[in-house]
């Protein structure tokens, strides 16, 4: 299994699911062992909390540090090196983003096919 975490279009982790917590512990964000769901920990780690501007700024800075640690511009090569033999394909980094209406249309079409 491969996990890619990328808030705001910046990759902060790309690799084996089983190694995600170990990666974040190595960069200073260790998941507490007791009473914390690892998935909730990861979501909280890459989320921007909007309760206060100070908290939001702190979250954005943390995400930027995590992205810099990974080297977001090299996320594709990092994934290829760390996920050997998993048939992972990555899109070119220069590919344009979908417009909102196009993305909604694609999601609608996928949902329609899944329920039909």
């Amino acid at each position: 299994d491969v996990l890619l975490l990328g808030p705001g279009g910046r990759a902060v982790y790309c690799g084996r699911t089983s190694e995600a917590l170990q990666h974040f512990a190595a960069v200073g964000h260790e998941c507490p062992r007791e009473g914390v769901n690892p998935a909730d920990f990861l979501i909280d780690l890459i989320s921007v909390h909007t309760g206060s501007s100070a908290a939001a700024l702190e979250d954005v800075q943390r995400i930027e540090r995590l992205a810099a640690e990974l080297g977001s511009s090299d996320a594709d090569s990092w994934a290829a090196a760390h996920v050997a033999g998993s048939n992972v394909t990555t899109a070119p980094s220069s590919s344009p983003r979908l417009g909102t209406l196009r993305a909604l249309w694609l999601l609608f079409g996928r949902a329609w096919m899944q329920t039909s």
Side-chain angles (χ1 to χ4, degrees):
D1 292 336
V2 175
L3 176 66
L4 171 65
L5 297 175
R10 302 277 317 266
V12 296
Y13 179 76
C14 181
R16 286 178 168 52
T17 304
S18 60
E19 297 172 2
L21 293 178
Q22 182 181 10
H23 167 78
F24 286 111
V27 295
H29 299 281
E30 189 165 353
C31 179
R33 297 276 183 215
E34 302 251 346
V36 175
N37 180 332
D40 290 337
F41 169 77
L42 293 173
I43 290 169
D44 190 50
L45 188 63
I46 64 169
S47 296
V48 176
H49 301 92
T50 59
S52 74
S53 58
L57 179 61
E58 183 179 323
D59 292 342
V60 167
Q61 290 172 343
R62 180 186 61 249
I63 292 167
E64 290 296 321
R65 283 191 306 271
L66 291 170
E69 183 71 35
L70 177 63
S72 283
S73 61
D74 298 328
D76 292 343
S77 60
W78 188 92
H82 287 79
V83 190
S86 65
N87 297 328
V88 174
T89 58
T90 56
S93 59
S94 62
S95 62
R97 296 183 74 162
L98 289 177
T100 304
L101 290 176
R102 177 73 177 141
L104 285 172
W105 181 253
L106 290 172
L107 289 172
F108 175 76
R110 183 183 304 157
W112 182 266
M113 288 189 315
Q114 289 176 346
T115 58
S116 296

